[in-house]
Amino acid sequence: MRAVKPIMLWFISTILFTLAAFGLELWEGTKISTTEYYGFQNIGFAIIFLMFLFSVLLYPVILLPLSWVIRKIANPLISRIMIFLLSGIAGYGFFYELYDERFIREYHLNSSTAVVFFGIAGFIYVLVDYYFESQAIKAEQNPC
């Protein structure tokens, strides 16, 4: 179970953060009505594919090492809270990478939407991580 858990979390984090980025694009990106911005309205599913590729790289490069370091420093509850909070902060950063400052002002885009979507994705990720950890503990206690 220990070897399978990171692979399952990689798959789940990819799906969650792709959905969070796509939700952000649908909620805020559709407000932008200029051809200067290449979002879902202009390039369609190609942007979902790009978000998916970004999410695939996000876990092994950032999330797995960061969560490993946090778990070595703090207890499991604190580490899960930190991952949840860092997900919301990452959504804030992703918002400002995705949308230009001019688009944010002109179309009244709201960065709190990104914090909420990515925070929800982080919360679900933490719940799934907790579930896998509790299953691993049960399997160790009851090896039948």
Side-chain angles (χ1 to χ4, degrees):
M1 182 68 177
R2 292 264 183 225
V4 175
K5 180 184 169 191
I7 295 169
M8 293 298 294
L9 286 175
W10 187 5
F11 175 74
I12 289 167
S13 71
T14 299
I15 299 301
L16 286 173
F17 289 104
T18 300
L19 288 174
F22 183 59
L24 175 65
E25 174 60 28
L26 287 179
W27 196 277
E28 295 293 334
T30 54
K31 294 177 185 176
I32 302 172
S33 60
T34 182
T35 56
E36 291 178 67
Y37 172 68
Y38 291 103
F40 185 68
Q41 292 179 2
N42 296 4
I43 60 175
F45 288 100
I47 195 159
I48 298 171
F49 181 71
L50 292 172
M51 291 174 186
F52 175 76
L53 286 179
F54 177 74
S55 296
V56 165
L57 294 175
L58 178 74
Y59 184 77
V61 174
I62 297 172
L63 194 56
L64 181 64
L66 184 65
S67 63
W68 183 78
V69 168
I70 291 173
R71 284 185 188 181
K72 293 296 178 186
I73 296 171
N75 69 27
L77 178 64
I78 300 298
S79 67
R80 288 186 177 106
I81 290 172
M82 288 176 69
I83 290 171
F84 166 65
L85 292 174
L86 288 173
S87 298
I89 293 169
Y92 184 79
F94 184 74
F95 177 83
Y96 282 100
E97 284 297 317
L98 191 61
Y99 304 118
D100 188 54
E101 188 67 37
R102 183 175 64 92
F103 294 146
I104 295 170
R105 275 193 321 264
E106 282 183 33
Y107 296 102
H108 307 290
L109 304 182
N110 193 354
S111 64
S112 64
T113 306
V115 173
V116 168
F117 282 146
F118 281 84
I120 290 170
F123 183 71
I124 294 171
Y125 174 83
V126 165
L127 288 178
V128 171
D129 182 33
Y130 174 75
Y131 174 76
F132 284 156
E133 192 68 31
S134 66
Q135 292 300 316
I137 292 171
K138 284 180 187 177
E140 287 175 3
Q141 292 174 350
N142 203 4
C144 293

